[in-house]
Amino acid sequence: MTDSSRRRPRVSIEGVGRQYDSPQGVVQALEGVSFGVEAGEFVCIVGQSGSGKTTLFRIIAGLEDATSGTVYLGGDPVEGPGPNLGLVFQEYHLFPWRTVAGNVGFGLEKQGVDHEEQERRVRELLELVGLDGFADSYPRDLSGGMKQRVALARALAVDPELLLMDEPFGAVDAQTKRMLQNELLDIWSETGKTILFVTHDVEEAVKLADRVVVMATDPGRVREIVEIETERPRSRSDTSFGEYYERIMKLIRA
């Protein structure tokens, strides 16, 4: 990525904290989480269970309120879900009664985009994710990997400022996962989208990310941000890949 593409943060997480009440008292799930994601950057968040990754995802997505701090997207505070955020989850959340094209075009319908433009945009996106022959298929007819491609196309349809992904490849087999990772990198390269990607898989983070945000636990907070300087495509057999993997694993275990 060139320096010219990193002129301002697309996303700013500033001092975000989250507390919960429990029978045992107040639980501090997140404390003082701060980092930025620049326009066009691919950032992964990793950490042990209990490090607050999912809570942070939900706050950035506007699905949950922070107890303290603020998330800014494009300079504006995030106050709830909106079309400037494209969300992709581990579960596909496709509408079983809609075709592939109908699922991808759902957000465009909600925005009142005219039918002809909807069809054009859906065709482009299905070609982008390699499903141009499946517009009239239903989710029941698709494999897990194909369903996730539909979910990705649906998220991209409204041209969001940020693509926010939570363990999106966690429900597919290892071979499909590697294929989807490569396809996501191709889509990212082609679209220039800003991506924030939550994963428990350190290998996945090293393969995909420009930077990896390593979360610590009790409470969830940023331990360190690791910049991955190895050129893409990255291979697990490369010495530098293994070095980054071990470095991040040590930070997680610390």
Side-chain angles (χ1 to χ4, degrees):
M1 184 175 300
T2 63
D3 291 338
S4 62
S5 66
R6 294 186 170 185
R7 293 177 180 172
R8 64 182 179 87
R10 178 70 70 196
V11 186
S12 294
I13 295 97
E14 299 185 3
V16 165
R18 183 68 170 97
Q19 292 181 341
Y20 297 99
D21 292 324
S22 75
Q24 291 75 36
V26 175
V27 175
Q28 188 79 40
L30 294 171
E31 183 175 77
V33 175
S34 297
F35 63 92
V37 183
E38 295 170 352
E41 192 176 19
F42 197 134
V43 171
C44 285
I45 301 173
V46 300
Q48 291 184 18
S49 177
S51 62
K53 300 188 303 296
T54 296
T55 300
L56 181 59
F57 173 93
R58 291 181 60 81
I59 291 171
I60 296 170
L63 300 172
E64 190 170 322
D65 292 330
T67 308
S68 59
T70 307
V71 176
Y72 295 93
L73 179 59
D76 299 318
V78 174
E79 298 177 340
N84 54 351
L85 282 164
L87 305 180
V88 182
F89 301 90
Q90 180 173 327
E91 299 299 326
Y92 317 113
H93 299 300
L94 302 180
F95 301 120
W97 59 89
R98 280 178 168 254
T99 64
V100 166
N103 271 280
V104 174
F106 177 76
L108 298 171
E109 291 178 23
K110 290 294 184 182
Q111 288 185 340
V113 175
D114 69 76
H115 186 69
E116 185 175 336
E117 176 62 17
Q118 281 184 43
E119 289 190 334
R120 184 194 68 79
R121 181 69 174 148
V122 168
R123 282 197 305 271
E124 285 183 352
L125 286 164
L126 290 181
E127 184 175 354
L128 181 67
V129 300
L131 291 176
D132 44 323
F134 293 87
D136 297 326
S137 299
Y138 286 86
R140 64 177 178 270
D141 303 319
L142 306 179
S143 68
M146 294 168 75
K147 289 176 184 177
Q148 197 57 284
R149 291 186 185 95
V150 176
L152 178 57
R154 182 176 61 184
L156 290 169
V158 295
D159 195 24
E161 287 188 58
L162 172 67
L163 190 59
L164 191 56
M165 311 181 79
D166 186 19
E167 303 277 5
F169 307 145
V172 298
D173 62 83
Q175 183 176 352
T176 302
K177 183 176 186 176
R178 287 192 294 271
M179 182 169 58
L180 289 171
Q181 289 168 349
N182 292 332
E183 291 174 359
L184 178 60
L185 286 173
D186 290 341
I187 291 168
W188 171 66
S189 178
E190 186 167 339
T191 64
K193 287 296 175 188
T194 306
I195 297 179
L196 190 54
F197 187 108
V198 177
T199 180
H200 70 279
D201 184 341
V202 173
E203 281 193 7
E204 182 169 61
V206 174
K207 178 175 180 177
L208 296 177
D210 292 318
R211 292 185 298 145
V212 178
V213 178
V214 184
M215 300 289 289
T217 58
D218 300 323
R221 62 199 186 279
V222 176
R223 183 179 297 282
E224 189 171 321
I225 299 176
V226 178
E227 185 162 355
I228 310 297
E229 297 180 336
T230 304
E231 291 186 5
R232 297 182 181 89
R234 297 169 184 158
S235 171
R236 290 164 175 80
S237 62
D238 292 342
T239 301
S240 61
F241 192 104
E243 289 173 348
Y244 280 119
Y245 176 85
E246 291 300 330
R247 177 181 172 187
I248 293 169
M249 286 302 299
K250 285 179 181 178
L251 289 169
I252 291 173
R253 296 188 191 109

